[in-house]
Amino acid sequence: MTDPSAFRTALYAAARAAGGTVGGWERQAYPRSFHTATVLDGTGEWVVLCHAHHPWVAFARERRDWYTEEFLAPPPWAHAFGSLGFVVLGRAHLTTPLPDVDTSALTRPERRHIRLYGITTVGGVLFNAWD
């Protein structure tokens, strides 16, 4: 499990690096697979996603219960997450089509959810709200 307090610490460090502020944050709640927060910098509001089970961080423009291809390239201040042990995932990786990656480790229920929800990208598998 990703420690929510570690994410919050990294979130505030990133906001300082951006010269901005944390707009708020929400701990992961069933059935979402991720914590979510916002950082306001000089360019606007960034939605920060943090996977609940792995120290992976991604960025989006708007808050949603799940994501498919709505990811953004990491902002310049994203390095603050990496400095504190998180892995910043880029848009290219998150929007990689599932047929282009090895999905053999996925369980039968995960494969069923992928079909049921029409998930087609790596990011869609990682940042979801399956029940």
Side-chain angles (χ1 to χ4, degrees):
M1 294 296 287
T2 302
D3 180 5
S5 63
F7 173 56
R8 282 186 56 180
T9 298
L11 181 65
Y12 280 92
R16 283 191 301 278
T21 59
V22 173
W25 85 282
E26 185 180 335
R27 190 178 189 142
Q28 177 268 342
Y30 180 82
R32 278 187 300 121
S33 65
F34 55 94
H35 308 292
T36 186
T38 57
V39 170
L40 302 137
D41 69 3
T43 65
E45 182 176 65
W46 293 80
V47 175
V48 184
L49 312 172
C50 176
H51 198 276
H53 301 284
H54 303 284
W56 300 330
V57 172
F59 297 88
R61 185 56 62 201
E62 65 182 48
R63 286 185 137 181
R64 301 179 55 136
D65 285 331
W66 70 86
Y67 293 84
T68 54
E69 295 185 15
E70 300 82 12
F71 301 99
L72 299 175
W77 43 265
H79 65 83
F81 288 100
S83 298
L84 292 169
F86 289 84
V87 176
V88 177
L89 302 176
R91 185 177 193 290
H93 178 75
L94 292 165
T95 59
T96 300
L98 285 179
D100 295 352
V101 297
D102 179 8
T103 58
S104 61
L106 294 175
T107 65
R108 180 174 286 153
E110 288 169 329
R111 291 176 189 279
R112 184 176 53 76
H113 281 102
I114 287 168
R115 282 190 310 275
L116 179 66
Y117 290 99
I119 303 299
T120 61
T121 64
V122 169
V125 172
L126 300 179
F127 296 97
N128 66 67
W130 302 336
D131 54 352

